[in-house]
Amino acid sequence: MAMDQFFCMRVFARVVELGSFARASEALDIGRASATTAVARLEKRLGVRLLHRTTRRLSLTDDGRLYYQACVTMLADLAEAEDVLSNARRSPRGRLRVSTPHSFIHLVFLSALPKFLARYPDLEVEVVMTDRAVNLVEEGIDCAIRAVDIPADSPLVARRISSLRWLTCASPSYLKARGTPASVADLERHECIRSISPSTGRTANWRFEKNGERQDFTPRGRVGVNSLEAAGAAAAYGMGIAQVTEVLVAPRLRSGELRPLLTDWAAAAPPLMVVYPSNRYLSAKVRAFGDFVAEVFPREGLWPERSLASAARARPKKASSANRR
């Protein structure tokens, strides 16, 4: 394969990602005519049209979409092979595409990202925010941050970063008005914020574990949301009690907006993982990113933090087992 074809593929991929020949040529530091010629050469070689061109916008043809996915995979493989054989193993460089959940990006990731960028000045980071399970290879994603259990037969390699727990919590104002539950059974008398599954429309059960004993509880309440981030926010606004993963509410616990409840019954949640395709090299940039995420999150999770323990001790004493309405 001629080297100039790789150049044309790089140009085509950037045109698709940036949505214009002008922006692509600027990003690649080449003339616009060179960018146009590169894509034209690809179309001539392949015998198909890759892009629909109008005066206002560019869009992929069906053939172009398939070829773009192939380009992303091939160029990523080439870049990773170069990383392995070059100084990039010591100094990551190039473009890193990372997928993160929406809640993670807002609460944790963006605040930590400047430190990562300062550490690796030759690295460009693109963040894809989505709560769906992305196909890393087809969508050109280098790695993803997920709080999920990875099946043994998964085509992904998973690096376990941090343990997580389900945290039951409420605002001080709610607890002052309604009292503090002392047991799982006490939750029956409280306004609970329900987490609705986007796929089934059903209310998710809450999980509790203590000394090997497990209890499931079906929350009841007037407020239901389809994201754990929203459930934590609703609890902070005094709408009721919520159960979410600790990472989503740790800042609110530290600030005192939320107080943890039934801490001795906190059950394990799926761990925080950095995942990447098993058919790829572990490139320097992915390795560096995984190491950085591991710095941000304690291996044993946020639960053992003194700030959370202090928040638990600072919770108000229970009013009575029969909570007021």
Side-chain angles (χ1 to χ4, degrees):
M1 183 181 293
M3 290 300 295
D4 66 333
Q5 186 173 353
F6 278 116
F7 170 76
C8 293
M9 292 166 66
R10 287 192 180 98
V11 172
F12 171 63
R14 292 303 271 171
V15 169
V16 172
E17 291 157 3
L18 298 176
S20 82
F21 283 96
R23 285 194 288 269
S25 60
E26 182 178 352
L28 295 170
D29 195 23
I30 61 175
R32 178 169 179 172
S34 297
T36 303
T37 300
V39 174
R41 283 182 180 176
L42 283 180
E43 291 180 325
K44 182 178 181 180
R45 179 186 179 92
L46 297 169
V48 298
R49 182 176 292 278
L50 299 174
L51 295 168
H52 293 300
R53 301 167 175 83
T54 68
T55 56
R56 293 188 175 183
R57 63 189 297 267
L58 296 173
S59 61
L60 285 166
T61 65
D62 290 340
D63 290 327
R65 187 171 295 104
L66 291 174
Y67 191 66
Y68 169 70
Q69 292 172 355
C71 284
V72 167
T73 300
M74 293 179 67
L75 292 172
D77 286 343
L78 178 61
E80 289 171 8
E82 290 175 345
D83 278 352
V84 171
L85 299 174
S86 73
N87 289 334
R89 175 173 289 276
R90 296 190 296 272
S91 180
R93 58 181 172 80
R95 182 176 55 152
L96 176 69
R97 300 192 78 222
V98 179
S99 172
T100 76
H102 283 88
S103 55
F104 184 86
I105 189 85
H106 292 305
L107 295 175
V108 181
F109 185 68
L110 281 183
S111 62
L113 190 57
K115 183 178 178 182
F116 181 69
L117 294 173
R119 184 178 299 176
Y120 302 110
D122 296 325
L123 197 58
E124 173 188 344
V125 179
E126 292 185 3
V127 181
V128 179
M129 296 181 292
T130 179
D131 293 324
R132 64 181 175 83
V134 299
N135 186 311
L136 302 187
V137 174
E138 289 186 1
E139 299 182 43
I141 305 295
D142 293 300
C143 60
I145 300 172
R146 287 289 181 266
V148 294
D149 289 313
I150 304 296
D153 59 351
S154 171
L156 299 175
V157 174
R159 174 179 174 180
R160 186 188 181 103
I161 297 296
S162 180
S163 299
L164 297 178
R165 290 178 182 268
W166 290 108
L167 183 67
T168 309
C169 56
S171 70
S173 61
Y174 175 86
L175 296 174
K176 182 178 181 180
R178 298 289 297 272
T180 302
S183 67
V184 175
D186 280 351
L187 294 172
E188 293 283 359
R189 294 182 285 273
H190 279 270
E191 191 73 31
C192 296
I193 300 165
R194 297 173 292 112
S195 293
I196 311 299
S197 168
S199 56
T200 67
R202 296 177 180 175
T203 295
N205 282 346
W206 291 359
R207 289 184 55 183
F208 297 93
E209 293 178 1
K210 181 179 181 181
N211 300 327
E213 178 187 354
R214 173 171 170 174
Q215 291 189 34
D216 287 340
F217 174 76
T218 302
R220 295 178 178 82
R222 291 177 294 166
V223 177
V225 294
N226 66 353
S227 83
L228 292 176
E229 182 184 10
Y237 289 131
M239 298 182 195
I241 298 174
Q243 187 177 89
V244 300
T245 52
E246 62 196 82
V247 68
L248 297 182
V249 291
R252 296 184 189 274
L253 289 169
R254 296 188 191 103
S255 69
E257 292 178 80
L258 288 173
R259 289 180 178 160
L261 307 171
L262 305 174
T263 54
D264 52 344
W265 280 93
L272 190 70
M273 302 277 198
V274 171
V275 300
Y276 61 92
S278 60
N279 64 343
R280 298 285 184 87
Y281 300 104
L282 179 55
S283 65
K285 58 189 179 183
V286 172
R287 186 191 304 275
F289 181 75
D291 290 344
F292 182 73
V293 176
E295 290 177 19
V296 175
F297 293 93
R299 184 170 181 79
E300 297 306 315
L302 298 173
W303 190 258
E305 282 191 355
R306 291 182 180 179
S307 59
L308 298 191
S310 297
R313 289 193 298 270
R315 70 188 181 192
K317 296 179 180 180
K318 67 171 184 172
S320 70
S321 60
N323 294 294
R324 299 184 301 274
R325 281 197 175 273

Short mmCIF file of all heavy atoms in Angstrom, two decimals, residues 90-128:
data_model
loop_
_atom_site.label_atom_id
_atom_site.label_comp_id
_atom_site.label_asym_id
_atom_site.label_seq_id
_atom_site.Cartn_x
_atom_site.Cartn_y
_atom_site.Cartn_z
N ARG A 90 7.57 6.48 26.18
CA ARG A 90 7.97 7.30 27.32
C ARG A 90 7.23 8.64 27.35
O ARG A 90 7.04 9.22 28.39
CB ARG A 90 9.49 7.55 27.26
CG ARG A 90 10.31 6.28 27.40
CD ARG A 90 11.78 6.61 27.56
NE ARG A 90 12.32 7.27 26.39
CZ ARG A 90 12.82 6.62 25.34
NH1 ARG A 90 12.84 5.30 25.33
NH2 ARG A 90 13.31 7.29 24.31
N SER A 91 6.83 9.13 26.19
CA SER A 91 6.17 10.42 26.11
C SER A 91 4.96 10.31 25.20
O SER A 91 5.06 10.48 23.98
CB SER A 91 7.15 11.48 25.57
OG SER A 91 6.52 12.73 25.49
N PRO A 92 3.78 10.00 25.72
CA PRO A 92 2.58 9.85 24.90
C PRO A 92 2.30 11.08 24.06
O PRO A 92 2.47 12.21 24.51
CB PRO A 92 1.47 9.64 25.94
CG PRO A 92 2.17 9.08 27.12
CD PRO A 92 3.51 9.76 27.14
N ARG A 93 1.84 10.85 22.85
CA ARG A 93 1.55 11.95 21.94
C ARG A 93 0.41 11.54 21.02
O ARG A 93 -0.04 10.41 21.01
CB ARG A 93 2.79 12.30 21.11
CG ARG A 93 3.32 11.14 20.29
CD ARG A 93 4.56 11.53 19.50
NE ARG A 93 5.20 10.38 18.86
CZ ARG A 93 4.78 9.83 17.73
NH1 ARG A 93 3.72 10.32 17.11
NH2 ARG A 93 5.41 8.79 17.22
N GLY A 94 -0.05 12.49 20.23
CA GLY A 94 -1.12 12.21 19.27
C GLY A 94 -2.49 12.47 19.87
O GLY A 94 -2.66 13.21 20.84
N ARG A 95 -3.48 11.83 19.28
CA ARG A 95 -4.87 12.05 19.69
C ARG A 95 -5.40 10.86 20.48
O ARG A 95 -5.24 9.71 20.08
CB ARG A 95 -5.75 12.27 18.45
CG ARG A 95 -7.20 12.57 18.79
CD ARG A 95 -7.99 12.87 17.55
NE ARG A 95 -7.90 11.82 16.56
CZ ARG A 95 -8.85 11.55 15.66
NH1 ARG A 95 -9.94 12.28 15.64
NH2 ARG A 95 -8.69 10.61 14.79
N LEU A 96 -6.02 11.15 21.62
CA LEU A 96 -6.63 10.13 22.46
C LEU A 96 -8.12 10.39 22.52
O LEU A 96 -8.56 11.45 22.97
CB LEU A 96 -6.03 10.18 23.87
CG LEU A 96 -6.64 9.23 24.90
CD1 LEU A 96 -6.29 7.79 24.56
CD2 LEU A 96 -6.15 9.58 26.31
N ARG A 97 -8.92 9.43 22.06
CA ARG A 97 -10.38 9.55 22.11
C ARG A 97 -10.89 8.68 23.26
O ARG A 97 -10.68 7.48 23.29
CB ARG A 97 -11.03 9.14 20.79
CG ARG A 97 -10.59 9.95 19.59
CD ARG A 97 -11.49 9.70 18.39
NE ARG A 97 -12.74 10.42 18.50
CZ ARG A 97 -13.94 9.92 18.17
NH1 ARG A 97 -14.04 8.67 17.75
NH2 ARG A 97 -15.03 10.64 18.29
N VAL A 98 -11.57 9.33 24.19
CA VAL A 98 -12.04 8.68 25.41
C VAL A 98 -13.54 8.80 25.51
O VAL A 98 -14.11 9.87 25.28
CB VAL A 98 -11.39 9.33 26.66
CG1 VAL A 98 -11.90 8.66 27.93
CG2 VAL A 98 -9.88 9.24 26.58
N SER A 99 -14.21 7.72 25.86
CA SER A 99 -15.65 7.75 26.10
C SER A 99 -15.90 7.71 27.60
O SER A 99 -15.30 6.91 28.32
CB SER A 99 -16.33 6.54 25.44
OG SER A 99 -17.70 6.47 25.81
N THR A 100 -16.76 8.62 28.09
CA THR A 100 -17.11 8.65 29.50
C THR A 100 -18.62 8.83 29.66
O THR A 100 -19.27 9.41 28.79
CB THR A 100 -16.41 9.82 30.24
OG1 THR A 100 -17.06 11.05 29.92
CG2 THR A 100 -14.94 9.91 29.88
N PRO A 101 -19.19 8.36 30.76
CA PRO A 101 -20.60 8.66 31.04
C PRO A 101 -20.79 10.14 31.30
O PRO A 101 -19.87 10.84 31.72
CB PRO A 101 -20.89 7.84 32.30
CG PRO A 101 -19.78 6.85 32.40
CD PRO A 101 -18.59 7.49 31.77
N HIS A 102 -22.00 10.65 31.04
CA HIS A 102 -22.29 12.06 31.27
C HIS A 102 -22.03 12.47 32.71
O HIS A 102 -21.43 13.51 32.98
CB HIS A 102 -23.75 12.38 30.91
CG HIS A 102 -24.00 12.49 29.44
ND1 HIS A 102 -24.32 11.40 28.67
CD2 HIS A 102 -23.95 13.55 28.60
CE1 HIS A 102 -24.47 11.79 27.42
NE2 HIS A 102 -24.25 13.09 27.34
N SER A 103 -22.49 11.67 33.65
CA SER A 103 -22.34 12.03 35.06
C SER A 103 -20.88 12.11 35.45
O SER A 103 -20.47 12.99 36.21
CB SER A 103 -23.06 11.00 35.94
OG SER A 103 -22.59 9.69 35.66
N PHE A 104 -20.07 11.22 34.94
CA PHE A 104 -18.64 11.19 35.28
C PHE A 104 -17.94 12.45 34.79
O PHE A 104 -17.14 13.05 35.50
CB PHE A 104 -18.02 9.96 34.63
CG PHE A 104 -16.57 9.76 34.99
CD1 PHE A 104 -16.22 9.08 36.15
CD2 PHE A 104 -15.56 10.23 34.17
CE1 PHE A 104 -14.89 8.90 36.48
CE2 PHE A 104 -14.23 10.04 34.49
CZ PHE A 104 -13.90 9.37 35.65
N ILE A 105 -18.25 12.88 33.58
CA ILE A 105 -17.57 14.05 33.00
C ILE A 105 -17.87 15.30 33.81
O ILE A 105 -16.99 16.12 34.07
CB ILE A 105 -17.96 14.24 31.52
CG1 ILE A 105 -17.08 15.32 30.87
CG2 ILE A 105 -19.39 14.64 31.34
CD1 ILE A 105 -15.81 14.81 30.37
N HIS A 106 -19.11 15.46 34.25
CA HIS A 106 -19.48 16.69 34.94
C HIS A 106 -18.94 16.73 36.37
O HIS A 106 -18.51 17.78 36.84
CB HIS A 106 -21.00 16.85 34.96
CG HIS A 106 -21.59 17.10 33.62
ND1 HIS A 106 -21.18 18.13 32.81
CD2 HIS A 106 -22.55 16.45 32.91
CE1 HIS A 106 -21.87 18.12 31.68
NE2 HIS A 106 -22.70 17.10 31.72
N LEU A 107 -18.96 15.61 37.05
CA LEU A 107 -18.66 15.62 38.47
C LEU A 107 -17.18 15.42 38.78
O LEU A 107 -16.68 15.90 39.78
CB LEU A 107 -19.46 14.51 39.18
CG LEU A 107 -20.97 14.69 39.16
CD1 LEU A 107 -21.66 13.50 39.78
CD2 LEU A 107 -21.35 15.96 39.92
N VAL A 108 -16.46 14.71 37.93
CA VAL A 108 -15.11 14.32 38.28
C VAL A 108 -14.09 14.62 37.19
O VAL A 108 -13.08 15.27 37.42
CB VAL A 108 -15.05 12.81 38.63
CG1 VAL A 108 -13.64 12.40 39.03
CG2 VAL A 108 -16.04 12.48 39.73
N PHE A 109 -14.37 14.16 35.99
CA PHE A 109 -13.34 14.08 34.96
C PHE A 109 -12.80 15.44 34.53
O PHE A 109 -11.58 15.64 34.43
CB PHE A 109 -13.90 13.32 33.75
CG PHE A 109 -12.89 13.07 32.67
CD1 PHE A 109 -11.84 12.21 32.87
CD2 PHE A 109 -13.00 13.71 31.44
CE1 PHE A 109 -10.92 11.97 31.89
CE2 PHE A 109 -12.08 13.49 30.45
CZ PHE A 109 -11.04 12.60 30.67
N LEU A 110 -13.67 16.38 34.24
CA LEU A 110 -13.21 17.68 33.73
C LEU A 110 -12.33 18.41 34.74
O LEU A 110 -11.37 19.08 34.36
CB LEU A 110 -14.40 18.55 33.34
CG LEU A 110 -15.04 18.23 31.98
CD1 LEU A 110 -16.16 19.22 31.69
CD2 LEU A 110 -14.01 18.25 30.86
N SER A 111 -12.64 18.28 36.01
CA SER A 111 -11.84 18.97 37.03
C SER A 111 -10.43 18.39 37.13
O SER A 111 -9.49 19.09 37.50
CB SER A 111 -12.53 18.90 38.39
OG SER A 111 -12.67 17.55 38.81
N ALA A 112 -10.27 17.11 36.78
CA ALA A 112 -8.96 16.48 36.85
C ALA A 112 -8.18 16.58 35.55
O ALA A 112 -6.96 16.46 35.54
CB ALA A 112 -9.13 15.00 37.23
N LEU A 113 -8.88 16.80 34.43
CA LEU A 113 -8.25 16.76 33.11
C LEU A 113 -7.10 17.76 32.92
O LEU A 113 -6.10 17.42 32.27
CB LEU A 113 -9.31 16.95 32.02
CG LEU A 113 -8.87 16.71 30.58
CD1 LEU A 113 -8.31 15.30 30.42
CD2 LEU A 113 -10.04 16.93 29.62
N PRO A 114 -7.17 19.00 33.43
CA PRO A 114 -6.05 19.93 33.22
C PRO A 114 -4.70 19.38 33.69
O PRO A 114 -3.67 19.62 33.05
CB PRO A 114 -6.47 21.16 34.03
CG PRO A 114 -7.96 21.12 34.03
CD PRO A 114 -8.31 19.67 34.12
N LYS A 115 -4.69 18.66 34.77
CA LYS A 115 -3.44 18.08 35.27
C LYS A 115 -2.89 17.06 34.29
O LYS A 115 -1.67 17.00 34.05
CB LYS A 115 -3.69 17.43 36.64
CG LYS A 115 -2.45 16.86 37.29
CD LYS A 115 -2.78 16.28 38.66
CE LYS A 115 -1.54 15.67 39.31
NZ LYS A 115 -1.87 15.07 40.64
N PHE A 116 -3.76 16.27 33.70
CA PHE A 116 -3.35 15.26 32.71
C PHE A 116 -2.78 15.94 31.47
O PHE A 116 -1.74 15.54 30.94
CB PHE A 116 -4.55 14.39 32.35
CG PHE A 116 -4.24 13.30 31.36
CD1 PHE A 116 -3.42 12.23 31.70
CD2 PHE A 116 -4.78 13.33 30.08
CE1 PHE A 116 -3.14 11.22 30.79
CE2 PHE A 116 -4.51 12.34 29.16
CZ PHE A 116 -3.69 11.28 29.53
N LEU A 117 -3.45 17.00 31.00
CA LEU A 117 -2.99 17.71 29.81
C LEU A 117 -1.65 18.40 30.05
O LEU A 117 -0.79 18.44 29.17
CB LEU A 117 -4.03 18.73 29.37
CG LEU A 117 -5.37 18.17 28.89
CD1 LEU A 117 -6.36 19.30 28.65
CD2 LEU A 117 -5.19 17.35 27.63
N ALA A 118 -1.47 18.94 31.25
CA ALA A 118 -0.20 19.58 31.58
C ALA A 118 0.94 18.57 31.62
O ALA A 118 2.08 18.89 31.26
CB ALA A 118 -0.32 20.31 32.92
N ARG A 119 0.64 17.37 32.03
CA ARG A 119 1.66 16.33 32.13
C ARG A 119 2.12 15.86 30.75
O ARG A 119 3.29 15.51 30.57
CB ARG A 119 1.12 15.15 32.93
CG ARG A 119 2.11 14.04 33.19
CD ARG A 119 1.50 12.94 34.04
NE ARG A 119 1.07 13.43 35.34
CZ ARG A 119 0.43 12.67 36.22
NH1 ARG A 119 0.15 11.41 35.94
NH2 ARG A 119 0.06 13.17 37.39
N TYR A 120 1.20 15.85 29.77
CA TYR A 120 1.52 15.34 28.43
C TYR A 120 1.16 16.41 27.39
O TYR A 120 0.10 16.35 26.75
CB TYR A 120 0.75 14.04 28.16
CG TYR A 120 1.05 12.97 29.17
CD1 TYR A 120 0.08 12.58 30.10
CD2 TYR A 120 2.29 12.36 29.21
CE1 TYR A 120 0.36 11.59 31.04
CE2 TYR A 120 2.58 11.36 30.15
CZ TYR A 120 1.61 10.99 31.06
OH TYR A 120 1.88 10.03 31.99
N PRO A 121 2.02 17.39 27.18
CA PRO A 121 1.71 18.51 26.28
C PRO A 121 1.57 18.12 24.82
O PRO A 121 1.00 18.89 24.04
CB PRO A 121 2.90 19.45 26.50
CG PRO A 121 4.00 18.59 27.03
CD PRO A 121 3.33 17.53 27.84
N ASP A 122 2.06 16.95 24.41
CA ASP A 122 1.95 16.52 23.02
C ASP A 122 0.73 15.65 22.77
O ASP A 122 0.57 15.09 21.69
CB ASP A 122 3.22 15.75 22.59
CG ASP A 122 4.46 16.62 22.63
OD1 ASP A 122 4.34 17.82 22.32
OD2 ASP A 122 5.54 16.10 22.96
N LEU A 123 -0.12 15.54 23.77
CA LEU A 123 -1.30 14.68 23.67
C LEU A 123 -2.55 15.53 23.51
O LEU A 123 -2.77 16.50 24.23
CB LEU A 123 -1.43 13.82 24.92
CG LEU A 123 -2.34 12.58 24.86
CD1 LEU A 123 -1.90 11.63 23.76
CD2 LEU A 123 -2.33 11.87 26.21
N GLU A 124 -3.39 15.16 22.54
CA GLU A 124 -4.68 15.82 22.28
C GLU A 124 -5.79 14.88 22.73
O GLU A 124 -5.80 13.71 22.34
CB GLU A 124 -4.80 16.13 20.79
CG GLU A 124 -6.15 16.66 20.35
CD GLU A 124 -6.26 16.77 18.84
OE1 GLU A 124 -5.20 16.74 18.16
OE2 GLU A 124 -7.40 16.88 18.34
N VAL A 125 -6.71 15.36 23.55
CA VAL A 125 -7.76 14.53 24.11
C VAL A 125 -9.13 14.93 23.55
O VAL A 125 -9.49 16.10 23.57
CB VAL A 125 -7.80 14.62 25.65
CG1 VAL A 125 -8.93 13.76 26.22
CG2 VAL A 125 -6.46 14.18 26.25
N GLU A 126 -9.85 13.95 23.03
CA GLU A 126 -11.24 14.16 22.58
C GLU A 126 -12.14 13.31 23.46
O GLU A 126 -11.94 12.10 23.59
CB GLU A 126 -11.40 13.78 21.11
CG GLU A 126 -10.66 14.70 20.16
CD GLU A 126 -10.94 14.38 18.70
OE1 GLU A 126 -11.77 13.48 18.44
OE2 GLU A 126 -10.34 15.03 17.84
N VAL A 127 -13.13 13.93 24.08
CA VAL A 127 -14.02 13.26 25.02
C VAL A 127 -15.38 13.04 24.36
O VAL A 127 -16.01 13.99 23.89
CB VAL A 127 -14.18 14.08 26.31
CG1 VAL A 127 -15.08 13.34 27.29
CG2 VAL A 127 -12.81 14.35 26.94
N VAL A 128 -15.81 11.79 24.34
CA VAL A 128 -17.12 11.42 23.80
C VAL A 128 -18.02 11.08 24.98
O VAL A 128 -17.82 10.07 25.66
CB VAL A 128 -17.01 10.21 22.85
CG1 VAL A 128 -18.39 9.82 22.32
CG2 VAL A 128 -16.06 10.52 21.70
#
